[in-house]
Every structure is written in structure tokens, then in C-alpha cells.
Amino acid sequence: PADNQSPETHPSPNQPPGAITVPGLPGLTMTGRENVYSVQIGLVPSKTVYMPGEPVNMALTLTNASTGPEVQPVYVSPLPPGISIVIPNNNGGGAKPGTREYIDNINGSKIIKTFAPGTEEKELAVGEKATYDLAWDQKDEAGNQAAPGWYYYEANINMRMASSNDS
């Protein structure tokens, strides 16, 4: 917890045994039996430095990182997801590019290039990965060479449990 308090490990009379009350979040009780659904997205270039105009080859990986005693497979769509290559609008508060501090300090971003989403939907079992290859020619939407620098990505996907039609 942000306030450096430990969660209460003793249940109140209306909580199940083993429940944890989270300080600062009234009404939130965790029993340790919850199912958490999560899909991790990673876009990793094949190397760290590219010359201007050289294609940037990347592996886009989606991993079903769901946890819990009764988690189900999930469906993710669209696949591949729409991806935007972006550059921060400011200098990240003077932090070193590529660090978490830099990412936390950037305010907004400018879309350099967008890759259209696919039309596939895929079921992913817990721990299963789906990988797609993506190549960026280092050009912006207008076909101009992108400036040298640190670039990031934004991706959007829908996820639903196998037993649900709700995303």
C-alpha cells in the first residue's frame, strides 16, 4: 500500500476467513481466491540501434498472464492489434531516455506511424503466447524519414473470458 501500512489480515465479522482489507480502499476485500484476467503486450525490436531508413523488425507478443484458481482461457481481438509508434512531446523531465522515470515524465505523445489492426480473434490459454512479426520502415505517416530518437508504442486489444461475450 502507498501509505506504508500493511493490509489487515484479520477479518471483520462480515468477511470470510483469510480475507484482507486494503487500507484506503473501503469495501475492497481480497480473499486470495480471486481470478485476475490479464494479457501482457510486448513489442521488442530485434536489435537496439538502427541506422536511418533501416527496417526496424519487431516481435509483438501477447501473453495470457491471468492468475487464479479458476481462470479460463481468454479471447483477444483484434489480432494483430492496432499499433501506433509514438514519440513523446517533451523531454521526459530530463530523465534518461528508455528509463521508467523518463516514461513516467512524458506528457502526451505524437503518433508517428500507425499499423492497422487485423481481423482475427484468438483463444489464449493461461500462459499461452501469440507472436506477430512487425517491420517499421522508420517513416512517418506522410512517408518522411522519422527523426532519430527513442520511440514507444501504443496498442489496443479487447479481451474476454471464454465463457463471456463481454469485452
Side-chain angles (χ1 to χ4, degrees):
D3 58 5
N4 293 325
Q5 295 178 4
S6 295
E8 298 288 329
T9 55
H10 52 83
S12 66
N14 60 351
Q15 290 179 326
I20 298 172
T21 301
V22 181
L25 297 174
L28 179 60
T29 302
M30 299 173 62
T31 64
R33 293 176 281 211
E34 288 79 13
N35 297 314
V36 177
Y37 288 90
S38 172
V39 173
Q40 295 176 345
I41 303 173
L43 184 63
V44 180
S46 60
K47 58 185 190 174
T48 55
V49 178
Y50 290 86
M51 298 302 295
E54 180 182 4
V56 178
N57 297 310
M58 300 169 278
L60 172 67
T61 304
L62 294 106
T63 305
N64 182 348
S66 302
T67 59
E70 298 174 15
V71 293
Q72 304 171 28
V74 296
Y75 283 93
V76 290
S77 66
L79 290 178
I83 299 287
S84 294
I85 305 294
V86 299
I87 190 166
N89 280 335
N90 71 18
N91 66 3
K96 182 179 177 185
T99 64
R100 183 74 216 170
E101 181 183 4
Y102 183 89
I103 294 167
D104 288 342
N105 287 329
I106 56 179
N107 295 319
S109 56
K110 177 183 176 188
I111 295 175
I112 302 300
K113 182 74 172 187
T114 300
F115 295 91
T119 58
E120 179 184 350
E121 178 178 68
K122 182 169 179 62
E123 181 183 54
L124 292 176
V126 175
E128 185 179 0
K129 296 179 180 187
T131 302
Y132 299 88
D133 294 325
L134 184 68
W136 175 38
D137 60 6
Q138 294 193 48
K139 294 188 178 174
D140 64 16
E141 296 288 7
N144 301 312
Q145 175 66 43
W150 286 87
Y151 289 84
Y152 301 89
Y153 72 93
E154 295 174 352
N156 289 305
I157 63 166
N158 295 313
M159 174 186 75
R160 66 178 173 86
M161 295 182 311
S163 63
S164 171
N165 288 326
D166 297 329
S167 292

